[in-house]
Amino acid sequence: MTKSLKLILLLGLLFCLTAVMAQQFPLWEQVLRHYGGKTDDTPVPSMKMGDHMQMSFKGKPEAGDEQRAQRIVAAAGSVLAHYGDVNLAVRDGYRPFHPTGKPGEEIHYTNYRYDRQEQGNVSYDRPVNYEHPASILYKRTPEGMKAVGVMYTAPQDSTPEHLNAVAPLSIATWHRHVDFCGGPRSLPLDGQSGPHAQFGPQGSIHTEEACKEAHGLWIPVVFGWMTHVYPNAKSPKDVWAGMDMHMDAGTGDEEMKK
């Protein structure tokens, strides 16, 4: 068999496998896999929290950390004051990421252009624009959507130095979502979310072996590193706290690819 024929057959096989996967799994899961990380190994000192969260350890305090953190919190406060009306955020390109409609939920309104800028700043040779965060966090209240926090991001393969350059590791709480097993397209809704879900961001499957046995779509790292800032928190310890990020259903896949 000639090399060219082998190549044609190989490309044909890859095309068929891609087509089968496209039919078997929802598009949004395929998008997550495409942009996700291949391993949850990281040079960042961290630990697993639950089955699907990886959280950084606090770093050693450095000179200027407190002042730098205060400037970031002040910038985040200015963002919340400016975008108190969620409709203004939407007009400026922020889109809700998979809202559930549940009372009290916290929804990430993400601007994918700003997110790409944060994700692309691998060497951090340019200043972080804290006035244009990747996401604004809104809470659903009886009075409507309330701006409560912002989220800054960093690439999946960031080093401790990279994270520290965005927000000091001695103060900020950094996290990322890991060990995700996506379910097939035919899966009932309660199999992808809820307390008894097998697949999804809160599912019982959290190892690659178990995901393969269940014929799921394994994604070791879903997104990059993230840190939440709540400038108006009642307690100082809660300013850099909070790590809830729900991926239930809602926002279209096309937004993630823009």
Side-chain angles (χ1 to χ4, degrees), residues 2 27 31 33 59 61 67 76 82 96 98 102 141 145 148 158 172 180 187 193 197 223 239 248-249:
T2 65
L27 177 59
V31 172
R33 189 183 197 189
Q67 292 78 4
H82 181 71
H98 294 285
K102 298 176 183 176
T141 73
M145 302 301 292
V148 295
S158 291
F180 179 96
L187 189 71
S193 62
F223 301 110
V239 171
D248 295 329

Side-chain angles (χ1 to χ4, degrees), residues 171-258:
I171 296 173
T173 300
W174 284 96
H175 68 278
R176 63 179 185 171
H177 300 270
V178 298
D179 301 340
F180 179 96
C181 184
R185 187 186 298 276
S186 58
L187 189 71
L189 186 60
D190 59 359
Q192 190 68 266
S193 62
H196 305 296
Q198 185 180 18
F199 299 91
Q202 297 172 312
S204 59
I205 296 177
H206 57 90
T207 66
E208 184 174 9
E209 181 180 4
C211 188
K212 287 181 177 179
E213 290 179 355
H215 306 291
L217 186 67
W218 180 246
I219 309 174
V221 180
V222 180
F223 301 110
W225 287 96
M226 315 168 191
T227 185
H228 291 186
V229 186
Y230 297 87
N232 300 323
K234 293 181 179 179
S235 172
K237 68 181 181 63
D238 294 329
V239 171
W240 293 91
M243 297 188 304
D244 295 331
M245 187 172 189
H246 303 290
M247 297 181 296
D248 295 329
T251 301
D253 310 301
E254 295 304 318
E255 282 295 338
M256 294 187 64
K257 297 188 293 182
K258 288 181 180 178

